[in-house]
mmCIF file of all heavy atoms in Angstrom:
data_model
loop_
_atom_site.group_PDB
_atom_site.id
_atom_site.type_symbol
_atom_site.label_atom_id
_atom_site.label_comp_id
_atom_site.label_asym_id
_atom_site.label_seq_id
_atom_site.Cartn_x
_atom_site.Cartn_y
_atom_site.Cartn_z
ATOM 1 N N ASN A 1136 19.670 -84.384 126.064
ATOM 2 C CA ASN A 1136 19.037 -83.078 125.894
ATOM 3 C C ASN A 1136 18.901 -82.650 124.450
ATOM 4 O O ASN A 1136 18.596 -81.486 124.162
ATOM 5 C CB ASN A 1136 19.833 -82.024 126.669
ATOM 6 C CG ASN A 1136 19.814 -82.247 128.159
ATOM 7 O OD1 ASN A 1136 18.868 -81.853 128.849
ATOM 8 N ND2 ASN A 1136 20.863 -82.897 128.670
ATOM 9 N N ALA A 1137 19.153 -83.577 123.516
ATOM 10 C CA ALA A 1137 19.122 -83.224 122.086
ATOM 11 C C ALA A 1137 17.751 -82.717 121.661
ATOM 12 O O ALA A 1137 17.630 -81.705 120.944
ATOM 13 C CB ALA A 1137 19.548 -84.425 121.260
ATOM 14 N N ALA A 1138 16.678 -83.411 122.075
ATOM 15 C CA ALA A 1138 15.317 -83.038 121.650
ATOM 16 C C ALA A 1138 14.936 -81.664 122.186
ATOM 17 O O ALA A 1138 14.407 -80.814 121.453
ATOM 18 C CB ALA A 1138 14.336 -84.099 122.132
ATOM 19 N N SER A 1139 15.195 -81.432 123.489
ATOM 20 C CA SER A 1139 14.838 -80.136 124.086
ATOM 21 C C SER A 1139 15.662 -79.002 123.484
ATOM 22 O O SER A 1139 15.179 -77.887 123.296
ATOM 23 C CB SER A 1139 15.042 -80.180 125.606
ATOM 24 O OG SER A 1139 16.372 -80.509 125.923
ATOM 25 N N PHE A 1140 16.953 -79.292 123.124
ATOM 26 C CA PHE A 1140 17.790 -78.274 122.488
ATOM 27 C C PHE A 1140 17.256 -77.920 121.103
ATOM 28 O O PHE A 1140 17.222 -76.738 120.706
ATOM 29 C CB PHE A 1140 19.237 -78.776 122.381
ATOM 30 C CG PHE A 1140 20.150 -77.830 121.638
ATOM 31 C CD1 PHE A 1140 20.479 -76.597 122.177
ATOM 32 C CD2 PHE A 1140 20.639 -78.181 120.384
ATOM 33 C CE1 PHE A 1140 21.311 -75.728 121.482
ATOM 34 C CE2 PHE A 1140 21.463 -77.310 119.699
ATOM 35 C CZ PHE A 1140 21.802 -76.083 120.243
ATOM 36 N N LYS A 1141 16.778 -78.952 120.359
ATOM 37 C CA LYS A 1141 16.226 -78.731 119.018
ATOM 38 C C LYS A 1141 14.967 -77.857 119.098
ATOM 39 O O LYS A 1141 14.774 -76.927 118.299
ATOM 40 C CB LYS A 1141 15.906 -80.082 118.373
ATOM 41 C CG LYS A 1141 15.501 -79.989 116.922
ATOM 42 C CD LYS A 1141 15.314 -81.392 116.355
ATOM 43 C CE LYS A 1141 14.899 -81.306 114.891
ATOM 44 N NZ LYS A 1141 14.666 -82.665 114.306
ATOM 45 N N GLU A 1142 14.135 -78.139 120.094
ATOM 46 C CA GLU A 1142 12.912 -77.353 120.287
ATOM 47 C C GLU A 1142 13.250 -75.919 120.708
ATOM 48 O O GLU A 1142 12.632 -74.950 120.229
ATOM 49 C CB GLU A 1142 12.044 -78.035 121.362
ATOM 50 C CG GLU A 1142 10.742 -77.315 121.683
ATOM 51 C CD GLU A 1142 9.805 -77.232 120.492
ATOM 52 O OE1 GLU A 1142 9.866 -78.112 119.605
ATOM 53 O OE2 GLU A 1142 9.004 -76.270 120.437
ATOM 54 N N LEU A 1143 14.227 -75.770 121.589
ATOM 55 C CA LEU A 1143 14.658 -74.451 122.054
ATOM 56 C C LEU A 1143 15.197 -73.613 120.904
ATOM 57 O O LEU A 1143 14.873 -72.427 120.747
ATOM 58 C CB LEU A 1143 15.725 -74.617 123.139
ATOM 59 C CG LEU A 1143 16.314 -73.332 123.743
ATOM 60 C CD1 LEU A 1143 15.242 -72.505 124.432
ATOM 61 C CD2 LEU A 1143 17.425 -73.684 124.725
ATOM 62 N N LYS A 1144 15.989 -74.240 120.075
ATOM 63 C CA LYS A 1144 16.578 -73.554 118.929
ATOM 64 C C LYS A 1144 15.481 -73.083 117.969
ATOM 65 O O LYS A 1144 15.523 -71.973 117.421
ATOM 66 C CB LYS A 1144 17.567 -74.488 118.219
ATOM 67 C CG LYS A 1144 18.392 -73.823 117.144
ATOM 68 C CD LYS A 1144 19.425 -74.802 116.585
ATOM 69 C CE LYS A 1144 20.271 -74.128 115.524
ATOM 70 N NZ LYS A 1144 21.246 -75.068 114.947
ATOM 71 N N LYS A 1145 14.469 -73.952 117.760
ATOM 72 C CA LYS A 1145 13.340 -73.656 116.862
ATOM 73 C C LYS A 1145 12.575 -72.428 117.380
ATOM 74 O O LYS A 1145 12.197 -71.536 116.618
ATOM 75 C CB LYS A 1145 12.437 -74.882 116.796
ATOM 76 C CG LYS A 1145 11.304 -74.784 115.796
ATOM 77 C CD LYS A 1145 10.524 -76.102 115.795
ATOM 78 C CE LYS A 1145 9.331 -75.994 114.846
ATOM 79 N NZ LYS A 1145 8.544 -77.263 114.846
ATOM 80 N N ARG A 1146 12.356 -72.365 118.717
ATOM 81 C CA ARG A 1146 11.643 -71.238 119.306
ATOM 82 C C ARG A 1146 12.424 -69.943 119.170
ATOM 83 O O ARG A 1146 11.852 -68.882 118.856
ATOM 84 C CB ARG A 1146 11.385 -71.521 120.786
ATOM 85 C CG ARG A 1146 10.301 -72.545 121.043
ATOM 86 C CD ARG A 1146 9.985 -72.576 122.518
ATOM 87 N NE ARG A 1146 8.986 -73.574 122.811
ATOM 88 C CZ ARG A 1146 8.423 -73.723 124.031
ATOM 89 N NH1 ARG A 1146 8.801 -72.911 125.020
ATOM 90 N NH2 ARG A 1146 7.520 -74.655 124.227
ATOM 91 N N LEU A 1147 13.705 -70.006 119.398
ATOM 92 C CA LEU A 1147 14.541 -68.793 119.311
ATOM 93 C C LEU A 1147 14.538 -68.227 117.895
ATOM 94 O O LEU A 1147 14.525 -67.008 117.690
ATOM 95 C CB LEU A 1147 15.972 -69.095 119.774
ATOM 96 C CG LEU A 1147 16.148 -69.376 121.277
ATOM 97 C CD1 LEU A 1147 17.591 -69.774 121.590
ATOM 98 C CD2 LEU A 1147 15.764 -68.135 122.109
ATOM 99 N N ILE A 1148 14.573 -69.111 116.885
ATOM 100 C CA ILE A 1148 14.519 -68.667 115.487
ATOM 101 C C ILE A 1148 13.177 -67.981 115.216
ATOM 102 O O ILE A 1148 13.093 -66.938 114.548
ATOM 103 C CB ILE A 1148 14.725 -69.859 114.535
ATOM 104 C CG1 ILE A 1148 16.175 -70.382 114.647
ATOM 105 C CG2 ILE A 1148 14.425 -69.469 113.098
ATOM 106 C CD1 ILE A 1148 16.417 -71.696 113.946
ATOM 107 N N HIS A 1149 12.112 -68.555 115.778
ATOM 108 C CA HIS A 1149 10.770 -67.978 115.617
ATOM 109 C C HIS A 1149 10.706 -66.585 116.236
ATOM 110 O O HIS A 1149 10.182 -65.631 115.623
ATOM 111 C CB HIS A 1149 9.733 -68.904 116.257
ATOM 112 C CG HIS A 1149 8.360 -68.314 116.318
ATOM 113 N ND1 HIS A 1149 7.552 -68.191 115.202
ATOM 114 C CD2 HIS A 1149 7.658 -67.801 117.379
ATOM 115 C CE1 HIS A 1149 6.410 -67.606 115.552
ATOM 116 N NE2 HIS A 1149 6.442 -67.378 116.890
ATOM 117 N N TYR A 1150 11.237 -66.452 117.482
ATOM 118 C CA TYR A 1150 11.202 -65.151 118.139
ATOM 119 C C TYR A 1150 11.977 -64.097 117.339
ATOM 120 O O TYR A 1150 11.539 -62.959 117.171
ATOM 121 C CB TYR A 1150 11.822 -65.264 119.538
ATOM 122 C CG TYR A 1150 10.949 -65.975 120.560
ATOM 123 C CD1 TYR A 1150 11.517 -66.811 121.519
ATOM 124 C CD2 TYR A 1150 9.561 -65.800 120.556
ATOM 125 C CE1 TYR A 1150 10.717 -67.462 122.460
ATOM 126 C CE2 TYR A 1150 8.762 -66.463 121.489
ATOM 127 C CZ TYR A 1150 9.339 -67.285 122.425
ATOM 128 O OH TYR A 1150 8.564 -67.926 123.340
ATOM 129 N N LYS A 1151 13.133 -64.505 116.860
ATOM 130 C CA LYS A 1151 13.982 -63.562 116.118
ATOM 131 C C LYS A 1151 13.326 -63.131 114.815
ATOM 132 O O LYS A 1151 13.356 -61.961 114.428
ATOM 133 C CB LYS A 1151 15.349 -64.215 115.850
ATOM 134 C CG LYS A 1151 16.373 -63.260 115.278
ATOM 135 C CD LYS A 1151 17.724 -63.934 115.179
ATOM 136 C CE LYS A 1151 18.771 -62.955 114.671
ATOM 137 N NZ LYS A 1151 20.097 -63.594 114.548
ATOM 138 N N LYS A 1152 12.708 -64.097 114.126
ATOM 139 C CA LYS A 1152 12.061 -63.831 112.833
ATOM 140 C C LYS A 1152 10.883 -62.859 112.988
ATOM 141 O O LYS A 1152 10.619 -62.023 112.117
ATOM 142 C CB LYS A 1152 11.592 -65.155 112.239
ATOM 143 C CG LYS A 1152 11.051 -65.048 110.821
ATOM 144 C CD LYS A 1152 10.704 -66.441 110.299
ATOM 145 C CE LYS A 1152 10.164 -66.339 108.865
ATOM 146 N NZ LYS A 1152 9.803 -67.688 108.357
ATOM 147 N N ASN A 1153 10.158 -62.947 114.103
ATOM 148 C CA ASN A 1153 8.967 -62.125 114.322
ATOM 149 C C ASN A 1153 9.241 -60.901 115.195
ATOM 150 O O ASN A 1153 8.296 -60.198 115.593
ATOM 151 C CB ASN A 1153 7.861 -62.977 114.957
ATOM 152 C CG ASN A 1153 7.339 -64.042 113.997
ATOM 153 O OD1 ASN A 1153 6.570 -63.751 113.099
ATOM 154 N ND2 ASN A 1153 7.793 -65.280 114.193
ATOM 155 N N GLY A 1154 10.518 -60.656 115.485
ATOM 156 C CA GLY A 1154 10.888 -59.454 116.230
ATOM 157 C C GLY A 1154 10.440 -59.464 117.662
ATOM 158 O O GLY A 1154 10.228 -58.402 118.267
ATOM 159 N N ILE A 1155 10.263 -60.652 118.207
ATOM 160 C CA ILE A 1155 9.835 -60.773 119.605
ATOM 161 C C ILE A 1155 11.074 -60.914 120.487
ATOM 162 O O ILE A 1155 12.002 -61.659 120.155
ATOM 163 C CB ILE A 1155 8.911 -62.002 119.792
ATOM 164 C CG1 ILE A 1155 7.694 -61.891 118.864
ATOM 165 C CG2 ILE A 1155 8.473 -62.143 121.241
ATOM 166 C CD1 ILE A 1155 6.864 -63.162 118.803
ATOM 167 N N LYS A 1156 11.042 -60.198 121.613
ATOM 168 C CA LYS A 1156 12.176 -60.282 122.531
ATOM 169 C C LYS A 1156 12.259 -61.686 123.123
ATOM 170 O O LYS A 1156 11.280 -62.207 123.653
ATOM 171 C CB LYS A 1156 12.012 -59.270 123.665
ATOM 172 C CG LYS A 1156 13.223 -59.241 124.601
ATOM 173 C CD LYS A 1156 13.051 -58.217 125.700
ATOM 174 C CE LYS A 1156 14.250 -58.241 126.625
ATOM 175 N NZ LYS A 1156 14.093 -57.295 127.740
ATOM 176 N N MET A 1157 13.449 -62.263 123.025
ATOM 177 C CA MET A 1157 13.649 -63.640 123.502
ATOM 178 C C MET A 1157 13.790 -63.657 125.025
ATOM 179 O O MET A 1157 14.518 -62.829 125.585
ATOM 180 C CB MET A 1157 14.898 -64.246 122.856
ATOM 181 C CG MET A 1157 14.762 -64.457 121.362
ATOM 182 S SD MET A 1157 16.260 -65.137 120.615
ATOM 183 C CE MET A 1157 17.229 -63.646 120.441
ATOM 184 N N PRO A 1158 13.117 -64.591 125.689
ATOM 185 C CA PRO A 1158 13.263 -64.702 127.157
ATOM 186 C C PRO A 1158 14.710 -64.995 127.549
ATOM 187 O O PRO A 1158 15.380 -65.822 126.902
ATOM 188 C CB PRO A 1158 12.348 -65.878 127.512
ATOM 189 C CG PRO A 1158 11.410 -66.002 126.366
ATOM 190 C CD PRO A 1158 12.159 -65.559 125.155
ATOM 191 N N ASN A 1159 15.194 -64.351 128.589
ATOM 192 C CA ASN A 1159 16.587 -64.534 129.025
ATOM 193 C C ASN A 1159 16.883 -65.978 129.411
ATOM 194 O O ASN A 1159 17.986 -66.491 129.195
ATOM 195 C CB ASN A 1159 16.884 -63.628 130.221
ATOM 196 C CG ASN A 1159 17.009 -62.174 129.807
ATOM 197 O OD1 ASN A 1159 17.304 -61.894 128.643
ATOM 198 N ND2 ASN A 1159 16.748 -61.264 130.730
ATOM 199 N N SER A 1160 15.918 -66.642 130.001
ATOM 200 C CA SER A 1160 16.124 -68.035 130.413
ATOM 201 C C SER A 1160 16.382 -68.928 129.211
ATOM 202 O O SER A 1160 17.211 -69.835 129.252
ATOM 203 C CB SER A 1160 14.922 -68.546 131.194
ATOM 204 O OG SER A 1160 13.751 -68.472 130.399
ATOM 205 N N PHE A 1161 15.678 -68.641 128.065
ATOM 206 C CA PHE A 1161 15.890 -69.413 126.831
ATOM 207 C C PHE A 1161 17.294 -69.168 126.289
ATOM 208 O O PHE A 1161 17.977 -70.097 125.857
ATOM 209 C CB PHE A 1161 14.839 -69.024 125.778
ATOM 210 C CG PHE A 1161 13.478 -69.649 126.015
ATOM 211 C CD1 PHE A 1161 13.136 -70.198 127.240
ATOM 212 C CD2 PHE A 1161 12.536 -69.679 124.983
ATOM 213 C CE1 PHE A 1161 11.882 -70.764 127.462
ATOM 214 C CE2 PHE A 1161 11.286 -70.245 125.196
ATOM 215 C CZ PHE A 1161 10.959 -70.788 126.425
ATOM 216 N N VAL A 1162 17.672 -67.893 126.280
ATOM 217 C CA VAL A 1162 18.997 -67.519 125.743
ATOM 218 C C VAL A 1162 20.107 -68.176 126.551
ATOM 219 O O VAL A 1162 21.071 -68.715 125.995
ATOM 220 C CB VAL A 1162 19.167 -65.978 125.736
ATOM 221 C CG1 VAL A 1162 20.597 -65.604 125.316
ATOM 222 C CG2 VAL A 1162 18.161 -65.334 124.799
ATOM 223 N N GLU A 1163 19.994 -68.136 127.887
ATOM 224 C CA GLU A 1163 21.023 -68.717 128.748
ATOM 225 C C GLU A 1163 21.141 -70.222 128.548
ATOM 226 O O GLU A 1163 22.241 -70.784 128.506
ATOM 227 C CB GLU A 1163 20.707 -68.421 130.221
ATOM 228 C CG GLU A 1163 20.938 -66.977 130.627
ATOM 229 C CD GLU A 1163 22.366 -66.534 130.390
ATOM 230 O OE1 GLU A 1163 23.302 -67.310 130.709
ATOM 231 O OE2 GLU A 1163 22.561 -65.427 129.869
ATOM 232 N N LYS A 1164 19.960 -70.916 128.425
ATOM 233 C CA LYS A 1164 19.978 -72.362 128.186
ATOM 234 C C LYS A 1164 20.628 -72.684 126.852
ATOM 235 O O LYS A 1164 21.384 -73.660 126.728
ATOM 236 C CB LYS A 1164 18.551 -72.915 128.215
ATOM 237 C CG LYS A 1164 17.978 -73.068 129.605
ATOM 238 C CD LYS A 1164 16.583 -73.647 129.568
ATOM 239 C CE LYS A 1164 16.003 -73.798 130.975
ATOM 240 N NZ LYS A 1164 14.642 -74.351 130.939
ATOM 241 N N TYR A 1165 20.357 -71.874 125.848
ATOM 242 C CA TYR A 1165 20.935 -72.090 124.513
ATOM 243 C C TYR A 1165 22.467 -71.927 124.567
ATOM 244 O O TYR A 1165 23.220 -72.750 124.045
ATOM 245 C CB TYR A 1165 20.328 -71.093 123.520
ATOM 246 C CG TYR A 1165 20.907 -71.224 122.124
ATOM 247 C CD1 TYR A 1165 20.496 -72.255 121.276
ATOM 248 C CD2 TYR A 1165 21.866 -70.335 121.664
ATOM 249 C CE1 TYR A 1165 21.027 -72.384 120.013
ATOM 250 C CE2 TYR A 1165 22.414 -70.458 120.407
ATOM 251 C CZ TYR A 1165 21.984 -71.479 119.572
ATOM 252 O OH TYR A 1165 22.520 -71.612 118.325
ATOM 253 N N LYS A 1166 22.904 -70.854 125.233
ATOM 254 C CA LYS A 1166 24.350 -70.594 125.352
ATOM 255 C C LYS A 1166 25.040 -71.741 126.104
ATOM 256 O O LYS A 1166 26.150 -72.146 125.764
ATOM 257 C CB LYS A 1166 24.595 -69.276 126.088
ATOM 258 C CG LYS A 1166 24.316 -68.050 125.241
ATOM 259 C CD LYS A 1166 24.629 -66.786 126.039
ATOM 260 C CE LYS A 1166 24.425 -65.539 125.184
ATOM 261 N NZ LYS A 1166 24.671 -64.308 125.964
ATOM 262 N N GLN A 1167 24.364 -72.222 127.142
ATOM 263 C CA GLN A 1167 24.940 -73.308 127.942
ATOM 264 C C GLN A 1167 25.118 -74.576 127.118
ATOM 265 O O GLN A 1167 26.142 -75.257 127.197
ATOM 266 C CB GLN A 1167 24.031 -73.586 129.139
ATOM 267 C CG GLN A 1167 24.637 -74.565 130.143
ATOM 268 C CD GLN A 1167 23.726 -74.780 131.339
ATOM 269 O OE1 GLN A 1167 22.565 -74.371 131.342
ATOM 270 N NE2 GLN A 1167 24.249 -75.423 132.354
ATOM 271 N N PHE A 1168 24.135 -74.873 126.273
ATOM 272 C CA PHE A 1168 24.207 -76.069 125.429
ATOM 273 C C PHE A 1168 25.308 -75.935 124.382
ATOM 274 O O PHE A 1168 26.066 -76.869 124.128
ATOM 275 C CB PHE A 1168 22.846 -76.320 124.748
ATOM 276 C CG PHE A 1168 22.662 -77.728 124.296
ATOM 277 C CD1 PHE A 1168 22.084 -78.678 125.146
ATOM 278 C CD2 PHE A 1168 23.083 -78.140 123.041
ATOM 279 C CE1 PHE A 1168 21.935 -79.998 124.736
ATOM 280 C CE2 PHE A 1168 22.935 -79.458 122.631
ATOM 281 C CZ PHE A 1168 22.350 -80.394 123.480
ATOM 282 N N VAL A 1169 25.403 -74.746 123.780
ATOM 283 C CA VAL A 1169 26.467 -74.491 122.791
ATOM 284 C C VAL A 1169 27.844 -74.640 123.434
ATOM 285 O O VAL A 1169 28.779 -75.188 122.847
ATOM 286 C CB VAL A 1169 26.298 -73.088 122.175
ATOM 287 C CG1 VAL A 1169 27.536 -72.718 121.346
ATOM 288 C CG2 VAL A 1169 25.055 -73.030 121.304
ATOM 289 N N LYS A 1170 27.952 -74.156 124.667
ATOM 290 C CA LYS A 1170 29.222 -74.252 125.403
ATOM 291 C C LYS A 1170 29.611 -75.713 125.624
ATOM 292 O O LYS A 1170 30.781 -76.093 125.503
ATOM 293 C CB LYS A 1170 29.088 -73.524 126.743
ATOM 294 C CG LYS A 1170 30.382 -73.379 127.507
ATOM 295 C CD LYS A 1170 30.164 -72.578 128.768
ATOM 296 C CE LYS A 1170 31.465 -72.450 129.552
ATOM 297 N NZ LYS A 1170 31.265 -71.675 130.809
ATOM 298 N N ILE A 1171 28.599 -76.557 125.956
ATOM 299 C CA ILE A 1171 28.858 -77.989 126.158
ATOM 300 C C ILE A 1171 29.353 -78.626 124.872
ATOM 301 O O ILE A 1171 30.287 -79.428 124.864
ATOM 302 C CB ILE A 1171 27.583 -78.683 126.664
ATOM 303 C CG1 ILE A 1171 27.281 -78.243 128.112
ATOM 304 C CG2 ILE A 1171 27.725 -80.206 126.604
ATOM 305 C CD1 ILE A 1171 25.940 -78.710 128.630
ATOM 306 N N GLU A 1172 28.729 -78.264 123.739
ATOM 307 C CA GLU A 1172 29.139 -78.816 122.435
ATOM 308 C C GLU A 1172 30.577 -78.428 122.097
ATOM 309 O O GLU A 1172 31.358 -79.255 121.616
ATOM 310 C CB GLU A 1172 28.189 -78.308 121.346
ATOM 311 C CG GLU A 1172 26.844 -79.016 121.326
ATOM 312 C CD GLU A 1172 25.991 -78.619 120.131
ATOM 313 O OE1 GLU A 1172 26.001 -77.419 119.787
ATOM 314 O OE2 GLU A 1172 25.344 -79.501 119.548
#
């Protein structure tokens, strides 16, 4: 899941930088991956 995690992280940074509300599903997937690490 390394590639999909890298892409997910890139999107979240983009959303945050442009003040766009991040989708909950993206946030949950990101938290889950961090927890695994």
Side-chain angles (χ1 to χ4, degrees):
N1136 295 277
S1139 58
F1140 175 68
K1141 187 176 180 182
E1142 179 62 28
L1143 179 61
K1144 189 175 181 182
K1145 186 177 177 181
R1146 286 189 182 187
L1147 290 175
I1148 292 170
H1149 172 74
Y1150 287 143
K1151 189 174 183 181
K1152 187 176 180 181
N1153 292 283
I1155 303 170
K1156 184 179 179 182
M1157 293 179 279
N1159 287 337
S1160 60
F1161 282 17
V1162 174
E1163 288 301 317
K1164 283 182 180 179
Y1165 178 77
K1166 285 182 177 178
Q1167 188 178 11
F1168 201 90
V1169 170
K1170 188 177 179 181
I1171 290 171
E1172 283 187 320

